[in-house]
Every structure is written in C-alpha cells, then in structure tokens.
Amino acid sequence: MDVAFLSATDLGRALARGEFTSEALVSGLLARIRTYDPVLNAFVEVYGNTALLAARESDERRSRNRARGPLDGVPFAAKDLFDVEGYATLAGSKASPVTAAAHSSTAVRRLLAEGMVLVGKTHTVEFAYGGWGTNPSCGTPVNPRDSLVQRVPGGSSSGSGVAVAAGLVPVALGTDTGGSVRNPSALCGIVGMKTSLGLIGRGGVQPLALVFDTVGPMTRSVEDAALIQAALQGEDPDDPATFSVPRADPRADLDKGIAGLTLRHPSMENLNAAEPGVLERFRETLADLAAMGAILEETRLPRPLETYASLGANFTTAEAWSRYRHLVEKENSLVDPGIAMRMSRGETMTIADYLGYVEQRRLMQTEFHRYLAGADAVLLPSSPITAKPIDGAHDAAAPFGIFARLANLMDLASLSIPMGDAEGLPTAVQIMVRRYADPLAYRIGRALEVKRGGLFVPPSGYGLTSPFLELSRTVDRAV
C-alpha cells in the first residue's frame, strides 16, 4: 500500500495508531514534491521547514494524548487565492502586488486549528478566471493522468487538483465560482465539492465574483471531503454570507445508503455537448445508483444548459472586470493578454445589464425550483469532455461551464466524484442538491464509493519514492 495515496481519513487513523509520525509523513511528501513537482508544477511555493515544525508539534501533542482530532498531523495545500500569514497571495498573476498577508484566511486557520499541516500553496489560473487550468504567466500545472501527453488539469483550482491526484498531498483547498473545484477534480480523477454559499467563510480569500464564490475541499474520497467540510464550516466574521446560516454535519447519515431517494437527471438531448465516452460512463453510473435502490428519473431541463452557462458567465465577467480592470488597463499591464481580453467584455456591461442578469437569474431559479420538486438530487456529468492537450488550449473556448455553472447560478451544492475512465482519462458525475443540503450530496456520493470499492485510482508513474518505502511496509503489516 502506497502511503502517498492513502486518504486523509486513513492517514489520520494510521497516525493515531502510531504506525508512523506526522514528521515522517510530511518528510515523505516533501520528497515526492521535490521529485515530481518540477514536471507537474502544482506548487507555487512549498513551506518545507514550517511544515516539518508543525508536524513535530502534532507528534508532540499526540505523545501527550492531546491530539486535536482525526486530522491532526495530516498535510494539506491551499490554492494561491488563500491568504497565508507572512506570504503574498498572488492569485496566479504577475500583476498582483507582492505583499505579505498579515493574517491567514479563515479556511486555512480552521484547518490549522485541527492540527493539519500546511505544506504549501498551489497554482491557479490567473485571478481564477478560466476553466482549462492554464496559466502562461506563472506556469500551468500538468495533469498527472497521462504520462505521454501533457494535458490540461482543469481550472481554476488547477494546482490543487494535480497535487491531490499525484499523491503530493491528500487534501487541498480550492474555490468554485463556475466549476473551479469541480473542473480539475473531474479531469484529474479526484473528489471535489462546490459547497453551499455561506457554509464556509471566504475571509482572506481573494474573490473573483462574490455572487458565486465558494470554498471547497478537494480530496481522494467522499469520506475525506465530508470530514474536511465539517472542519471548515462555521460563521466567519469576515464574510457576512455566513451569518446566521443553518449548518448540518456533512458526515451525518454518510453511510445510510440511497434506497428510496429520487435522483433526477436531464434528458440525453440536454447533454448533447458531452463526448460519447463521458455519456457512456454516465449511463453506467445511473445504472449503479438504480441498482442500489435509488429511483432514477429522466426529465428535460427547463432551459438548455448553455443558457444557464451564458448567464453565469455574464455575472462573473461583470464582477471580475469591476475588480481587476485597474490591473488590466494599467500601462504595460502584466495581466495575460488572453485573460485581459476575455475579462474586458465587462467594459461594455452597464448597471442596467447587470440588473437584467439579476432578474433573469430570479426567473430561472423559480423555474428550477419547480424542476427539483419531488427529487432529492439532480445528476449530470461534471465535465462534457476529458482532459485535452495543453498545447493550444489557453486560447480556445473552454466548454466546462456548460455543465458546471448551473450549480452556481441556481445556488446549489454540487459534489463531483470520479465515475470511471473514458479512453484512459477520468470522467466525473456531479451530484447537485438544494442549498444547505450538502450532507445529502455526500451520502449519495459515498454510496457509490462503497459500491465500487473506492472511486479514486492512483495515476501510473507516480509510485513510491524512497522515504515512503518503509512507511508503506509499516502500513501493509498493520493492515
């Protein structure tokens, strides 16, 4: 058993049993990062010495029977939108001011309070504004799922997806404005959650479009994602969206099963943007869910997915332009020309336009509420395509929003989980539930995870590095 690909839950249990120390675990992951990241380019910066010190502190707590919980000593990484005290948040842009953050973001602080060990920051699309995961300015992470062709990782939480999939960290933080957690999760073959807006605070997280922005976990199992979300949830004094929000434990009823639940999905005509291999895996997934006792219903969406995607894109563009135009319009701007060109569509958007978007959204949400009536969740593929070659992708239109933006626009939670490979590349299904019903999404995803004996499959070519050999033998003997 390769320790590098164990779930955070299993790592926590192994640490609690004393099978290895957090220091040994973190040392092993740092060695893997040194070995593989020069090719993968997942990390913006690695906090080696700080991480080792935090790991030793975790081991010391455990030696005194004062471990903070199941995540104490487990490593994680954060997308370079999250403030980390003492380090600059660059948001994937050379145009960002290099100013050290005075305080860590609320999400980072919450995981540190659980005893988790921050290993470093991961790459993002510039200002989180893009779906391919490419970043010509600061470097594009490479999807680990193809050892022969460099493929896009999905964005904008690109480095987080790559780091988790390649066994560099078991957990990473991402943000989702229009699919930015789910896109890389789908293309890299991991689990990613677009959480309900207001459950997790965004204090200290650089925004793209506050109307949609959410923080979410990226992991290798549904169980892990629920565990991380439980640690992240709570009122954030720096994010009014979290005030007085009802919260349920995402681990509640996790293993209750799905017998009797009604799971609705769009008509296949609605999904005509999807590649044949993606649709084939989707049909197989629907069949598995039905075999577990769920009631599957095929119902045509009120509007084409492209309509929802277009309106969601308009909201994001208007906010992004308002927030970053001063950097785009600056003389000798360092913003990537492709990002600047797409973002500058917001220049022609007026207040009247934006109010029109708000009204259109209200009408669509009313329609979609009726569509959801009688159903527990809506299912559709997370991405219409599998990972494409990096070459030429940055300047092409990214199709991910067609399937992903619906959840943001309708104010839903959406869990993306692997549903098998198509021609050797990952595909994924998203489980969309009503706002604040996040635990139900985890319950449905967990049922499929259990039925299939796990969802994550380690990529080839990223096996054991020498510091982990003995750790893995120790775990094998314990199992």
Side-chain angles (χ1 to χ4, degrees):
M1 185 179 295
D2 191 338
V3 172
F5 291 106
L6 287 180
S7 69
T9 302
D10 286 339
L11 287 172
R13 290 169 181 156
L15 287 166
R17 290 191 297 260
E19 292 171 16
F20 47 78
T21 65
S22 178
E23 183 179 3
L25 173 61
V26 171
S27 294
L29 291 179
L30 291 173
R32 286 181 64 82
I33 292 169
R34 288 193 297 271
T35 299
Y36 295 127
D37 203 51
V39 173
L40 293 172
N41 196 40
F43 282 88
V44 176
E45 51 191 357
V46 177
Y47 310 140
N49 292 335
T50 304
L52 287 171
L53 177 60
R56 293 183 193 114
E57 291 173 349
S58 172
D59 292 332
E60 195 272 336
R61 284 193 298 272
R62 185 165 281 109
S63 72
R64 294 186 289 115
N65 293 319
R66 293 194 173 182
R68 295 175 179 172
L71 291 168
D72 203 337
V74 176
F76 76 104
K79 181 181 184 178
D80 190 26
L81 294 184
F82 292 81
D83 284 349
V84 174
E85 183 178 347
Y87 298 91
T89 302
L90 300 180
S93 180
K94 290 183 177 178
S96 296
V98 183
T99 305
H103 306 283
S104 292
S105 61
T106 302
V108 167
R109 290 202 312 270
R110 288 227 161 100
L111 295 189
L112 293 177
E114 296 289 321
M116 294 190 75
V117 177
L118 180 60
V119 172
K121 278 197 185 183
T122 52
H123 277 288
T124 175
V125 175
E126 190 164 13
F127 303 128
Y129 193 67
W132 289 116
T134 52
N135 188 325
S137 298
C138 298
T140 296
V142 176
N143 194 318
R145 294 289 168 175
D146 191 335
S147 58
L148 299 178
V149 178
Q150 289 193 332
R151 294 184 180 271
V152 295
S156 64
S157 306
S158 50
S160 290
V162 170
V164 172
L168 307 185
V169 285
V171 173
L173 292 176
T175 61
D176 195 309
T177 305
S180 288
V181 161
R182 290 163 290 153
N183 295 339
S185 295
L187 267 58
C188 293
I190 64 171
V191 172
M193 181 64 163
K194 183 265 169 210
T195 58
S196 292
L197 181 64
L199 288 185
I200 299 173
R202 300 168 296 179
V205 180
Q206 189 156 326
L208 175 61
L210 285 172
V211 67
F212 296 143
D213 292 347
T214 57
V215 171
M218 301 173 71
T219 65
R220 292 193 282 263
S221 77
V222 174
E223 186 179 23
D224 280 4
L227 180 62
I228 296 297
Q229 182 164 338
L232 289 169
Q233 288 186 166
E235 191 167 290
D236 178 358
D238 295 319
D239 184 0
T242 66
F243 298 170
S244 303
V245 168
R247 291 178 178 83
D249 189 336
R251 297 165 294 182
D253 298 329
L254 191 60
D255 290 303
K256 191 175 180 178
I258 59 173
L261 294 182
T262 298
L263 309 180
R264 193 162 290 160
H265 63 90
S267 67
M268 291 302 154
E269 182 183 349
N270 285 139
L271 305 179
N272 57 15
E275 294 176 339
V278 173
L279 287 180
E280 185 177 352
R281 298 289 86 77
F282 184 58
R283 292 189 183 97
E284 292 170 356
T285 299
L286 297 179
D288 274 352
L289 293 167
M292 288 186 281
I295 301 164
L296 275 293
E297 294 182 353
E298 179 175 325
T299 307
R300 184 182 177 87
L301 289 169
R303 301 177 188 236
L305 283 165
E306 290 82 357
T307 301
Y308 301 114
S310 177
L311 182 57
N314 286 343
F315 271 101
T316 301
T317 299
E319 284 208 34
W321 178 249
S322 174
R323 184 161 286 112
Y324 295 114
R325 66 179 299 171
H326 68 288
L327 296 177
V328 172
E329 294 181 328
K330 187 176 181 180
E331 187 177 359
N332 299 319
S333 173
L334 296 177
V335 177
D336 173 75
I339 297 288
M341 181 179 67
R342 287 191 289 111
M343 198 176 283
S344 64
R345 290 191 305 110
E347 186 175 14
T348 61
M349 294 177 177
T350 66
I351 292 295
D353 290 331
Y354 193 85
L355 292 176
Y357 304 152
V358 172
E359 178 61 16
Q360 289 177 59
R361 186 190 190 200
R362 186 185 70 81
L363 293 172
M364 289 184 191
Q365 285 184 327
T366 302
E367 286 178 349
F368 202 81
H369 181 73
R370 291 195 293 267
Y371 176 83
L372 264 174
D376 295 289
V378 173
L379 310 174
L380 72 157
S382 302
S383 167
I385 64 172
T386 55
K388 302 309 173 193
I390 289 175
D391 188 31
H394 185 70
D395 298 319
F400 307 106
I402 297 173
F403 287 3
R405 289 190 188 124
L406 174 65
N408 306 85
L409 190 71
M410 296 296 106
D411 236 347
L412 309 173
S414 183
L415 175 68
S416 177
I417 59 174
M419 62 177 183
D421 286 0
E423 298 182 0
L425 295 170
T427 69
V429 60
Q430 55 179 323
I431 302 161
M432 297 189 297
V433 296
R434 293 171 177 83
R435 188 176 182 183
Y436 306 139
D438 301 43
L440 180 57
Y442 285 121
R443 173 182 163 189
I444 297 167
R446 176 64 174 165
L448 190 65
E449 183 172 59
V450 171
K451 176 177 176 58
R452 293 187 172 181
L455 298 171
F456 172 76
V457 178
S460 60
Y462 298 93
L464 283 170
T465 47
S466 55
F468 268 179
L469 289 172
E470 185 53 38
L471 288 189
S472 295
R473 293 190 192 103
T474 300
V475 174
D476 285 338
R477 287 194 292 269
V479 172

